[in-house]
Amino acid sequence: MSSDTSRNQLPEIESSVPGTASLALAGRLARVESRNVTFRSPDSPIFWTRAAGSNVWDADGNRYVDLTAGFGVAAVGHAHPRVLRAVRDQAARLQHGMGDVHPPEVKVRLLEALADRAPYSDPRIVLGVTGSEAVEIALKTACLSTGKPGALAFRGAYHGLGYGALGVTDRALFRAPFETQLNPHTVWAEYPDPYRPSERLLEAAARGGYSPGMAARDMEPGRLVDAALELAAELLDSEAGERVGAVIVEPVQGRGGEIVPPPGFLTGLLDLCRERGLLLICDEIFTGFGRTGSWFGSEAEGVIPDILCVGKALTGGMPISACIGSADIMDAWPDSTGEAMHTTTFLGHPIACAAALAAIRVIEEEGLVERAHLAGQRWREELLDMAQHYPVVGDVRGRGLMIGLDLVADPETRQPDPDLAGRVLVEALRRGWILLTGGPHGNVLSLTPPLNIDNGLLSGAVDMLDEVFTDLESD
Ligand code: PMP
């Protein structure tokens, strides 16, 4: 991998953060955008005007390092030269086609490229625009294939906010007002979160011989997985489970707080599905395309799900997603009779297809999957070393370049500390580092930088966090 220093520069902050230009834009935005969309405070947001590699510039001319890769999209870095060239060339030739009627030629090439990389001998693909849509195509496929309307989803799951995807997303804030409109056939299982296992999981583990007096942290990972699988099996075998046709799971929970299930979980889920004739849907929208150090997150356990959902990193920066499965599953969709049962105006958008083709090549040719694995390992160790000095960092976890720092008010009880996470976020931004908070409590610092970010910047991020934690400690 070539490291381009001009696209991997340390931050340069020349104004207050946010500066006057960003503050003015925030004021203008508030007058035209619905108030729920962009969170505004005296500390946020900054308005992006330009990005290259791991760097982002704001309206005040400040340069930042993007430790989020723009929600995990810019895996190849922002505006990678090859992606940029592909976008420019495609835009000059054909900007928009008729996706499911008279498709753009480049759609064929993208589907072939995805098919070549999918873990199926005879794959079939439906393209979407957003991650949420890819999930909904998967859920529709499962319904058509099994004839069953429900899915088993996991606590802490994030699959998107369209009505279908929201039906399997576990966030009270997003669901509550719309609860009566969401799929009533979803059943909820426990994700084996090794750091903060749920009460239900602990109870299930107790039934299996684990002593409830034991601290949760002492539970063997294998026992946690067994307990999670037992609970999932109970649900599937219950009356509500009769209406369930699919299990949908993130190989590593992303917005749920970078939660890595112990080994054996995905294989166990696949077994549960096989025994009952259910489909396993892996939502790889965050974990796919190298993020976790393998091409797909499910590969880490050698699991081939029935259906794969991908998005985000697929293009390096254009909106496109895909639902991929083998022909025997995907052929649950009937032949088109002239009206596609699932399509959108922008299906197979040519510029996004061209960007995806370029991004896939960059990931391969720059060895970014391996790079995510190695850089992630090294970075996690550095972060762990730093975290040892700060008991408020309860856990450093993740896989590849998908890392979470779980901030706690008390390391004994592991009580989440979202306020602290928010303060770290603000202090990091002031120093020129963009991060996000995640997890159901909002207490996890979520780090998902471009896969080709410079090692120097990764170490710089650790130094920055070290400084921020020290400063906050002395406050
Ligand atoms: N699934 C997962 C695992 C995600 O992380 C996300 C987005 N964070 C989605 C689905 C939804 O994707 P989108 O926001 O593009 O609809």
Side-chain angles (χ1 to χ4, degrees):
M1 191 206 54
S2 65
S3 161
D4 184 345
T5 47
S6 69
R7 303 165 57 81
N8 274 288
Q9 301 180 74
L10 282 163
E12 198 170 74
I13 301 296
E14 287 165 348
S15 74
S16 54
V17 174
T20 48
S22 277
L23 289 172
L25 283 162
R28 284 166 55 192
L29 190 66
R31 287 191 284 279
V32 285
E33 187 177 51
S34 171
R35 63 185 183 178
N36 184 252
V37 182
T38 308
F39 175 69
R40 289 184 306 120
S41 79
D43 303 313
S44 188
I46 53 162
F47 285 79
W48 294 16
T49 54
R50 186 158 75 88
S54 301
N55 291 130
V56 167
W57 284 260
D58 74 2
D60 292 278
N62 298 308
R63 182 174 69 221
Y64 300 81
V65 175
D66 179 12
L67 294 176
T68 75
F71 302 130
V73 170
V76 297
H78 290 281
H80 189 286
R82 284 185 66 168
V83 175
L84 195 58
R85 205 175 322 127
V87 165
R88 280 192 176 134
D89 289 353
Q90 187 60 50
R93 272 181 287 130
L94 178 73
Q95 291 180 7
H96 175 66
M98 295 178 73
D100 60 310
V101 177
H102 302 300
E105 162 273 342
V106 66
K107 177 179 96 164
V108 182
R109 285 189 282 132
L110 175 61
L111 292 178
E112 285 170 349
L114 286 174
D116 282 349
R117 286 149 187 93
Y120 309 107
S121 56
D122 189 21
R124 294 290 186 276
I125 302 162
V126 181
L127 291 176
V129 179
T130 63
S132 176
E133 190 190 349
V135 165
E136 291 173 356
I137 298 166
L139 293 171
K140 284 182 173 179
T141 305
C143 181
L144 288 172
S145 171
T146 65
K148 296 187 176 178
L152 178 141
F154 287 90
R155 290 292 171 208
Y158 188 88
H159 298 292
L161 300 185
Y163 271 113
L166 186 56
V168 287
T169 288
D170 178 36
R171 277 297 175 93
L173 174 71
F174 303 147
R175 293 176 58 95
F178 314 111
E179 197 70 52
T180 53
Q181 296 177 289
L182 302 177
N183 190 344
H185 307 295
T186 304
V187 298
W188 297 97
E190 304 294 316
Y191 201 79
D193 175 351
Y195 183 66
R196 202 174 278 116
S198 67
E199 283 303 315
R200 284 191 65 210
L201 263 180
L202 291 174
E203 278 164 25
R207 279 187 270 146
Y210 156 77
S211 153
M214 230 189 252
R217 75 199 60 176
D218 298 329
M219 197 192 316
E220 270 176 51
R223 187 67 217 115
L224 191 64
V225 167
D226 290 349
L229 293 172
E230 277 160 28
L231 282 177
E234 268 172 34
L235 273 169
L236 292 174
D237 298 335
S238 69
E239 204 188 316
E242 281 169 23
R243 292 183 292 279
V244 167
V247 169
I248 180 162
V249 66
E250 295 159 87
V252 174
Q253 278 191 343
R255 285 199 70 186
E258 283 75 29
I259 296 172
V260 185
F265 177 55
L266 282 189
T267 30
L269 281 184
L270 189 62
D271 289 345
L272 290 186
C273 288
R274 289 290 167 272
E275 287 156 17
R276 292 165 179 77
L278 308 178
L279 300 186
L280 181 64
I281 303 170
C282 275
D283 177 349
E284 299 257 12
I285 286 158
F286 216 144
T287 49
F289 294 91
R291 171 63 51 199
T292 62
S294 49
W295 196 248
F296 296 112
S298 43
E299 259 176 56
E301 281 201 35
V303 162
I304 299 180
D306 297 296
I307 301 179
L308 269 169
C309 300
V310 294
K312 289 192 188 278
L314 168 56
T315 62
M318 299 293 283
I320 202 164
S321 62
C323 168
I324 311 174
S326 61
D328 53 325
I329 305 280
M330 297 302 285
D331 283 351
W333 292 90
D335 272 334
S336 173
T337 53
E339 294 282 4
M341 283 164 61
H342 184 99
T343 186
T344 62
T345 306
F346 290 108
L347 181 140
H349 192 263
I351 303 176
C353 287
L357 279 165
I360 291 170
R361 258 177 239 130
V362 171
I363 292 173
E364 284 175 345
E365 288 173 17
E366 292 190 9
L368 295 186
V369 179
E370 179 69 0
R371 155 87 183 148
H373 172 65
L374 295 174
Q377 231 170 17
R378 185 176 157 275
W379 199 30
R380 216 165 50 246
E381 279 164 23
E382 282 184 56
L383 286 162
L384 267 167
D385 278 350
M386 181 273 299
Q388 273 169 10
H389 303 110
Y390 305 102
V392 290
V393 185
D395 195 23
V396 177
R397 57 178 176 249
R399 189 187 287 160
L401 280 171
M402 189 169 181
I403 297 182
L405 269 60
D406 197 305
L407 305 190
V408 292
D410 172 358
E412 279 309 304
T413 60
R414 301 183 176 182
Q415 191 199 328
D417 194 341
D419 291 343
L420 176 61
R423 275 153 61 212
V424 174
L425 204 73
V426 168
E427 286 304 321
L429 194 67
R430 284 193 185 136
R431 289 164 168 81
W433 300 82
I434 299 170
L435 15 132
L436 283 169
T437 52
H441 310 284
N443 69 310
V444 181
L445 298 179
S446 179
L447 306 171
T448 60
L451 305 184
N452 50 8
I453 188 172
D454 212 62
N455 279 337
L457 287 186
L458 292 178
S459 301
V462 179
D463 294 343
M464 176 276 297
L465 286 170
D466 199 353
E467 192 186 292
V468 168
F469 283 122
T470 302
D471 284 2
L472 290 177
E473 238 177 13
S474 58
D475 270 0

